Amino acid sequence: MTVSQPGKLTKSAPAPGTPFYTPQQTPAAGTALNPNDPNLPTLFTPIKLRGLTLQNRFVVSPMCTYSADDGHLTDWHLVHLGAFAQRGAALTIVEATAVVPNGRISPEDSGLWQDSQIAPLRSVVDYVHSQGQKIGIQLAHAGRKASTLAPWHVAGFTPGASEVATADIGGWPENLWAPSPIPWDEGYPIPKEMTVEQIEGLVQAFADAAKRAVQAGVDTIEIHGAHGYLISEFLSPISNQRTDRYGGPLPNRARLLLSIVSSIRAVIPQSMPLLVRISATEWMEWTNAPSWDLAQSKQLALLLADAGVDLLDVSSAGNNPRQQIKLQPYYQVDLAAEIRDELKKQGRKGMAVGAVGMVREAEMARDVVQDGRASKSSGVEGENGEYGAEAKADLVFVARQFLREPEFVLKAAAQLGVGVAAPLQYRRAPIKMNKL
């Protein structure tokens, strides 16, 4: 029971538009309780992307879990993804979801190539919305890295290692698509070079999957153009050695991605933001041969901004097993910052930038998005001893830390001394920590 006015008890208001009863979370978990506090870190301030408003800057990055049933989400995904939304993540993005069957990374990957896959996704969407939070989906094609086994089949979870899923266990190693017939690595199948007709059909498949995502009620869509999957294979001169209009100079190598952006933008509501994830570099500069690098990512960012993309989600790597990553806590955040600076310099302030990678602590999450307001409580010291250094990104995308701590948003708020709403049902067990 809740108190509506002195002396009068009423039932808890139900969450609006939800096909089951659950109390309305007002405000949603993760919302700052004192939004007018001049010292409130940017991390807990709202941001608007087209018609979508998020109450804080935390995004659950799409993470493959290899647990779908012929592309259909299951109760596993409902519990897994719902836990993050319940505990304050403003936006949760469903894992890489294949737009055609041979675009799955594994036989157990999520898919959205047929209408029967809409309803299971809708169940997850309804739950996230019941918590007052937002949800998106990442649409993808795995290209030459498709038809592999889930990582737990590889001894010791060896980074970068994988095993081919053969036809007898539901794989399709004879039907891998790529821009050029270049395998991912030794021992992997040689992919088929896509025909122009197949490329055009794939663009339509992305649009059709986007329509299904809208039917399922998602709030935003992200295009997966990173990590060595099909779109990033087209972007890289290492994996794309075509001589037609989809190969050669950057505008040609980016043609597939830009066509997909255009096709999706045309079928989703005007108010819905469109996101794109890229690998800012494939970390192959050490070869002194042409590869995908930060300079080209800056050029691509400008093209995407002009094409109607609302946020660029900046990751890196994944397109070559010989990559040499210069690993440090900000190794990808700094790439995002450089792209964000280039966008501002070139007058493309309408496209936001998200940063991802090794965000494990509240202080790092805060510092990545701190917008430059003078705030000693933020602890972010800028030039000349002033507080409020320039933000490196507008949103922080968090992956594995949410697996370790589904309550990462609430814990970060406690660590930073920010009062935020908790789920109604959990308020008798608040997270209390000393401000660091």
Side-chain angles (χ1 to χ4, degrees):
M1 306 291 282
T2 58
V3 178
S4 58
Q5 55 182 284
K8 184 177 181 180
L9 297 177
T10 64
K11 292 178 65 175
S12 297
T18 301
F20 55 88
Y21 175 76
T22 188
Q24 182 176 8
Q25 303 285 343
T26 306
T31 302
L33 296 177
N34 188 3
N36 297 318
D37 180 357
N39 292 322
L40 184 67
T42 306
L43 186 62
F44 288 97
T45 62
I47 185 171
K48 186 173 184 180
L49 303 172
R50 286 194 186 242
L52 177 66
T53 298
L54 306 177
Q55 83 275 21
N56 60 49
R57 306 302 180 95
F58 286 94
V59 179
V60 178
S61 197
M63 293 176 279
C64 292
T65 59
Y66 313 97
S67 300
D69 181 7
D70 189 28
H72 299 76
L73 301 187
T74 70
D75 286 351
W76 154 261
H77 300 90
L78 176 63
V79 175
H80 165 65
L81 297 169
F84 309 131
Q86 184 187 74
R87 292 164 173 82
L91 174 63
T92 300
I93 302 182
V94 178
E95 63 193 73
T97 298
V99 300
V100 290
N102 79 340
R104 291 169 292 168
I105 302 168
S106 80
E108 293 82 27
D109 271 27
S110 170
L112 204 50
W113 65 79
Q114 57 186 344
D115 289 351
S116 61
Q117 293 159 340
I118 297 172
L121 173 60
R122 181 80 206 199
S123 294
V124 178
V125 170
D126 285 342
Y127 181 79
V128 171
H129 285 168
S130 79
Q131 301 305 297
Q133 314 291 9
K134 307 302 182 184
I135 184 167
I137 189 168
Q138 185 186 68
L139 300 181
H141 191 293
R144 63 181 183 171
K145 295 176 73 174
S147 190
T148 56
L149 297 173
W152 52 78
H153 292 291
V154 181
F157 288 87
T158 306
S162 189
E163 294 180 355
V164 175
T166 53
D168 61 313
I169 56 172
W172 52 98
E174 302 302 320
N175 190 30
L176 303 186
W177 286 357
S180 301
I182 303 170
W184 155 248
D185 198 4
E186 293 183 10
Y188 284 74
I190 297 175
K192 296 179 180 179
E193 180 173 309
M194 294 180 71
T195 65
V196 171
E197 291 74 20
Q198 286 173 328
I199 292 172
E200 292 172 349
L202 181 67
V203 172
Q204 184 61 50
F206 268 91
D208 292 342
K211 291 179 185 178
R212 295 186 182 100
V214 172
Q215 285 183 257
V218 302
D219 301 292
T220 186
I221 290 171
E222 177 172 271
I223 300 168
H224 197 348
H227 302 163
Y229 299 121
L230 186 65
I231 292 174
S232 63
E233 292 167 19
F234 269 86
L235 292 173
S236 169
I238 294 178
S239 48
N240 183 351
Q241 297 182 8
R242 302 175 71 99
T243 57
D244 62 5
R245 62 196 185 102
Y246 290 96
L250 174 58
N252 283 4
R253 286 181 279 120
R255 190 181 303 276
L256 172 61
L257 173 55
L258 291 170
S259 296
I260 291 171
V261 167
S262 178
S263 72
I264 292 179
R265 188 77 266 171
V267 300
I268 63 176
Q270 182 63 28
S271 60
M272 179 180 286
L274 181 59
L275 286 54
V276 172
R277 169 168 279 193
I278 65 167
S279 284
T281 173
E282 56 186 330
W283 297 104
M284 292 293 288
E285 293 88 347
W286 63 272
T287 64
N288 294 317
S291 66
W292 185 257
D293 58 19
L294 180 59
Q296 291 172 90
S297 288
K298 290 179 179 180
Q299 295 177 58
L300 178 63
L302 299 175
L303 295 174
L304 292 173
D306 292 341
V309 173
D310 301 285
L311 181 138
L312 191 66
D313 175 5
V314 180
S315 187
S316 74
N319 194 43
N320 199 295
R322 297 190 299 152
Q323 64 192 15
Q324 293 185 6
I325 301 175
K326 298 176 182 177
L327 196 63
Q328 47 92 5
Y330 283 79
Y331 80 108
Q332 290 184 158
V333 173
D334 289 340
L335 297 171
E338 287 206 41
I339 293 174
R340 187 173 185 267
D341 288 345
E342 182 68 16
L343 286 167
K344 292 176 65 178
K345 187 186 304 181
Q346 300 299 330
R348 307 313 203 279
K349 298 180 180 179
M351 186 166 74
V353 171
V356 63
M358 300 184 74
V359 181
R360 301 167 180 165
E361 299 175 349
E363 296 88 347
M364 181 176 179
R366 175 200 62 199
D367 296 354
V368 167
V369 299
Q370 187 62 31
D371 70 1
R373 295 173 301 163
S375 170
K376 286 190 176 183
S377 69
S378 75
V380 185
E381 188 169 357
E383 296 179 2
N384 303 318
E386 296 180 355
Y387 282 85
E390 179 68 20
K392 293 179 179 291
D394 303 285
L395 286 163
V396 58
F397 285 63
V398 180
R400 295 181 186 181
Q401 192 58 30
F402 272 118
L403 300 184
R404 301 182 188 101
E405 296 181 309
E407 70 282 1
F408 182 55
V409 174
L410 303 178
K411 186 171 287 188
Q415 289 176 328
L416 297 173
V418 178
V420 299
L424 287 172
Q425 299 91 330
Y426 292 0
R427 289 184 184 177
R428 288 186 293 181
I431 296 175
K432 296 180 179 179
M433 292 186 178
N434 295 325
K435 183 179 176 183
L436 300 179

